[in-house]
Amino acid sequence: MPCLQQTTSPLRPLSHLAHPREVIRQFTPNWFAATMGTGVLALALMQIGMDALHGPAEALWWLTIALFVLFSVLYAARWLMFFNEARQIFAHSTVSMFFGTIPMGLATILNGFLLFGINRWGEGIVPWIEALWWFDVGLALLCGVAIPYLMFTRQEHSIDQMTAVWLLPVVAAEVAAASGGQLAPHLLDAHSQFLMLITSYVLWAVSLPVAFSILTILMLRMALHKLPHANMAASSWLALGPIGTGALGMLLLGAEAPAIFAANGFGDLGEIARGLGLVAGIVLWGAGLWWLLTAVLITLRYMRHGMPFNLGWWGFTFPLGVYSLATLKLGAWLGLAFFQHMGLVLVVALVGLWMMVASLTLRGAWRGELFVSPCIAGLCNK
C-alpha cells in the first residue's frame, strides 16, 4: 500500500478534534511507558505505609487502568485501520523495543489488584488475577524472545547507535516474576502456589542474565562512542530497571519461598531460597546504586545542553520506581533506617519526576506533538 502523506504542520489541539484518524495512525507502543510510570508510583506510595497516601495511590492505580485501556484501544485501532503501516514496527530498531512496555504496564495493574482490588472486592477476584498474570507472562516471554530474534534477523543495529532501550523487551519477564512473588501466597492451593513460584524463578532467570549482557555491551558502547543523542537522554535511567526489578523480585520470592516450599515437601530448600533472596537483593541493590549515581551525572550533563521532551522521558520513572520499591523492601527486611530513609527520598524524587513528565505529556498530547511514528517516517522516506 502506498504511504499516506504526513501532515507537514503540527496537529492542532485535540480539543478541536483535529485529525483523529492521524492520531490513531501515528500511535505507537511508546505510550504504554506512561502506564508503567504511573502504576509503579501507585505501588511505591503504598509501600511507604502511610494511611494518608492510600487514597492518592489508589487513584493513580485507577488512572493506570484507564490509560492502559485507552492505549490498547488506540493501538488495536491502528492495526485494524493501518495494518500495512503498523507492521513496519517490526523492522524498526528502536520503536519495536517498546513492545516490552505493554506487559510491564499490565504487571503494575495486576499488582494494584493485590493492594486495592482484594480489599474492595474480596478474595474472590484472585482467580481472575491469576489468569491475568499468566496472560502477562505469555506477553512478556513473547516480547523477550521475539524482539531479540527480530534484532538478529531483520533489524539493522550498530554499537554506536545502541542505547539502553534494548533492555525493554527483555526486562518484561523479570517484572512478571516479581508480580508472581506477590501473587503466589494469595492462591488457594499449595500446588498452584508452588507452580507460580517456580515459574517466577524461571522468568527471573530468563531476564536478568540477558539484561546484564546488554548492560555490558552498553558500557562498552558509552566508553567508545560516548553518550547518545539528547533525544535519548532518559534512556540512561533504563539500566536501573532490570537491576532494581531483579533485587525486588528476589526479595519477594525469597520472602514467600519458606512457606510455599514447606507446603510442597521442600522445607529446607525454602530457607535456602530465603537467604539467597536476601543476599541477591543486597548485591543487586548495590549494583543499582552505581547505575543510579551514573544516571544522575549523565542527566546533569544533558541538562546543560538542553533535553528535548519526548515520550522516552517516562524512562525516568519506572526504573526509579522499582529501585525505590527494592530499597523500601530491604529496609523492611533488615530493619535498617538507612534503607528506609533512602527509600523515602527516592519515592519523593519519583513523585516530582512523575508530575513533571505527566504535565509535559499532557501538553504534548494536547498539541498533538507526541503522535509521531518513526517507522512510518522511514517508510515514507523509502
Side-chain angles (χ1 to χ4, degrees), residues 151-200:
M151 294 172 67
F152 305 155
T153 56
R154 293 183 57 183
Q155 299 173 0
E156 296 181 2
H157 294 271
S158 60
I159 292 295
D160 62 310
Q161 297 299 317
M162 176 205 183
T163 66
V165 296
W166 283 19
L167 293 165
L168 289 176
V170 172
V171 179
E174 199 175 334
V175 176
S179 297
Q182 291 182 288
L183 176 58
H186 292 275
L187 302 185
L188 300 180
D189 62 275
H191 177 72
S192 297
Q193 293 178 350
F194 185 65
L195 176 61
M196 182 169 289
L197 186 73
I198 297 301
T199 302
S200 297

Side-chain angles (χ1 to χ4, degrees), residues 296-320:
V296 170
L297 292 175
I298 291 174
T299 304
L300 292 175
R301 180 181 177 88
Y302 276 120
M303 289 174 63
R304 292 202 300 267
H305 305 284
M307 295 168 50
F309 177 74
N310 53 55
L311 289 174
W313 279 38
W314 283 101
F316 288 121
T317 58
F318 186 79
L320 182 60

Side-chain angles (χ1 to χ4, degrees), residues 75 199 201 220 226-227 231 283 334:
Y75 197 48
T199 302
Y201 275 116
L220 176 64
K226 310 313 173 190
L227 300 180
N231 287 330
V283 171
L334 301 174

Side-chain angles (χ1 to χ4, degrees), residues 10 17 22 32 36 38 55 65 86 153 164 177 199 207 215 270 282 322 332 342 365:
L17 297 179
E22 187 70 8
F32 285 93
M36 295 169 55
T38 305
I65 295 176
T153 56
T199 302
S207 174
L215 290 176
I282 296 173
V322 292
M342 184 171 180

